Amino acid sequence: QVQLVESGGGLVQAGGSLRVSCAASGHTFSSYTMGWFRQAPGKEREFVAAIDWSAGSTYYADSVKGRFTISRDSAKKTVYLQMNSLKPEDTAVYYCAGKYGSWSIFNRYGYDYWGQGTQVTVSS
């Protein structure tokens, strides 16, 4: 069992920045993918970004490419999502997710473990 604990959500003005964190504990693996998804009110949960833990390869949704950066700290077993140039449409609950392997990383149903979610609100 893998546990994911998120932190760093909050309220930020449009154009501002925020970094959310997700710390993993439990039985983790060397071949692992960590991702961020978000869910706005009344909308489906959507892919935001992912990182291959071993290789460090990163993947982004078109809507956040160039503004968001996903990174990892292996020693802390933590994944980060740095969000810059935030827009009101970025407002959502952001979820950290993990899975074994590197396939189906853009699909929320391909992930095995989820954090509790952290609210990010961008005001205009």
Side-chain angles (χ1 to χ4, degrees), residues 24-41:
S25 62
H27 192 62
T28 56
F29 307 94
S30 58
S31 299
Y32 217 82
T33 299
M34 298 294 295
W36 287 96
F37 290 75
R38 67 186 182 186
Q39 188 166 20

Side-chain angles (χ1 to χ4, degrees), residues 32-38 44-52 57-65 70 95 97-112 114:
Y32 217 82
T33 299
M34 298 294 295
W36 287 96
F37 290 75
R38 67 186 182 186
E44 296 292 323
R45 191 171 301 185
E46 65 175 355
F47 171 81
V48 176
I51 185 168
D52 181 287
S57 304
T58 57
Y59 310 88
Y60 299 94
D62 289 340
S63 59
V64 306
K65 197 172 299 181
I70 187 170
Y95 296 92
K99 70 182 299 296
Y100 179 76
S102 58
W103 54 89
S104 300
I105 62 174
F106 308 109
N107 186 347
R108 65 184 176 99
Y109 297 109
Y111 286 77
D112 302 303
W114 292 87

